[in-house]
Amino acid sequence: MRMPRRRYQIGALLGITGLAVAIVTANAVADPTKTDGQAQADAIRDAAKSTGTVVVVDDGESVKHYGSGTTTFGKDDVPDADDQFRVASNTKMFVSTVLLQLAEEDKLDLDAPIGDYLPGLVKGEGIDETKITVRHLLQHTSGLADNLTADVIADPRLQWNPPTPEDMVKLGLRHGSKSEPGAKFSYSNTGYTILGILIEKLTGQRVGEAIDERIVKPLDLKETSYAYAGDKEMKGPHFRGYLGVPPALFEVSGHEPGIWAAAGALVSSGSDLTTFLDALLNGDLLTDPSLEQMKESFPDAHYGLGLQEAELPCGAAWGHTGHVIGYVSYSFTTGDGRSIFIGVNTSSTGLTNPAEEMSKALTSALCGEDTPPSDSVTKMISDDLDEAASQAEAVSDKKSKIYDKN
């Protein structure tokens, strides 16, 4: 297995303070062939009204990071590429990779019904476990409803009594079937929670242990770990997550990770995710046939097997978007050594949408400085931010009930 690169060229960071919180800006000399990454990080943070933003760019020769603001409200902690972050649905890339590895080992048939492996788990009105395949779950074409609705995420009972993955599956299956398996794309975190249970069944390990053994340790991802139910504290230097806009912020770093389960419970960093994407797309984790399956998008959905496709002016990029309460992140690569991670540690309740600034940063990092972003990438990010805002608003309305007993 080819070992990934870890090369950093850190920009000079200059801090200034204002209001009641230390808001840090930074100046760095970017690669002359690229847009000024520091200016982009500052623009994203300003547009998002965020406490902190980090942009990590791997141009194939070196890794640069640009921190803007602070990781912690009230402190002068400039965001770093190695700061831990709740990376939300970026978790799905890791889950899919593990399952495709198991398929390569003949321990799993992607086109077999989930009922063959987990009989009796996937049931409900109009749901047939003999028709929903593992591939359907990986590609969000199972017809199962999403379990991470705003009311579930804002349910204080799930904070006081951390749910099991099986609990979270039941919350999705209660809605019955939305469509016939394979008929249409409909994003379902329920499906990935089921896939996490499947990994545990096939490996005899907890899902985080399987990810650790198969991905984290081989790639030396030092900041990446899986947060189980009840694991509300990140272990190393990390971004704290917030609701609102400075200075009116409410910390939500300890929102119960058991809610996300295998759909989004991973903790990682910008440096680790760019390393992971570089390794994945260069064939260090999967064979070429498996990687091609992973990249094969469902028609009009731009989504493969745990991998999103971004249509850039210079061609396709692959990765994932992610949001959980207090955290928004984007990780994409072109597969030729260029990759980017963008992290913002504030969930606005619909007051801001920095999609245009994020799209510019993503496009310039992957295509070059003078390349304008495509409308499809801007829309992809905007839609994701709108969904994040709706969830944040639901949590904001109930935050005293959710956090008072934590």
Side-chain angles (χ1 to χ4, degrees), residues 316-399:
W318 301 94
H320 219 289
T321 63
H323 63 81
V324 293
I325 297 303
Y327 300 90
V328 176
S329 57
Y330 299 89
S331 305
F332 282 91
T333 183
T334 55
D336 60 359
R338 293 172 293 164
S339 57
I340 184 171
F341 172 85
I342 302 171
V344 174
N345 70 334
T346 307
S347 289
S348 169
T349 54
L351 299 176
T352 63
N353 188 323
E356 184 175 345
E357 290 76 13
M358 289 181 171
S359 184
K360 287 178 180 177
L362 191 152
T363 303
S364 65
L366 300 183
C367 293
E369 177 179 353
D370 298 324
T371 310
S374 66
D375 290 341
S376 64
V377 171
T378 304
K379 183 179 185 303
M380 174 189 71
I381 297 174
S382 181
D383 289 348
D384 190 65
L385 291 171
D386 285 344
E387 175 64 21
S390 68
Q391 294 181 359
E393 185 173 5
V395 169
S396 181
D397 289 342
K398 295 183 179 180
K399 61 181 179 290

Side-chain angles (χ1 to χ4, degrees), residues 27-100:
N27 297 319
V29 179
D31 182 333
T33 65
K34 304 290 183 182
T35 299
D36 183 354
Q38 186 59 54
Q40 291 178 339
D42 292 340
I44 292 169
R45 181 175 64 81
D46 183 63
K49 301 297 184 251
S50 165
T51 302
T53 293
V54 67
V55 177
V56 181
V57 178
D58 183 347
D59 64 7
E61 296 296 328
S62 64
V63 180
K64 306 176 181 70
H65 78 254
Y66 309 93
S68 182
T70 179
T71 61
T72 306
F73 185 81
K75 294 185 178 181
D76 188 1
D77 293 338
V78 180
D80 185 271
D82 294 334
D83 286 325
Q84 291 181 325
F85 202 91
R86 296 196 186 279
V87 296
S89 286
N90 286 285
T91 306
K92 293 179 173 69
M93 295 187 289
F94 288 72
V95 168
S96 179
T97 299
V98 170
L99 287 167
L100 285 164

Side-chain angles (χ1 to χ4, degrees), residues 84-131:
Q84 291 181 325
F85 202 91
R86 296 196 186 279
V87 296
S89 286
N90 286 285
T91 306
K92 293 179 173 69
M93 295 187 289
F94 288 72
V95 168
S96 179
T97 299
V98 170
L99 287 167
L100 285 164
Q101 289 178 346
L102 291 168
E104 290 177 356
E105 297 163 13
D106 294 326
K107 296 176 181 177
L108 172 67
D109 180 353
L110 298 182
D111 295 307
I114 190 62
D116 286 1
Y117 300 105
L118 300 171
L121 177 67
V122 184
K123 58 185 179 181
E125 184 177 353
I127 297 172
D128 187 342
E129 66 176 13
T130 69
K131 293 183 178 180

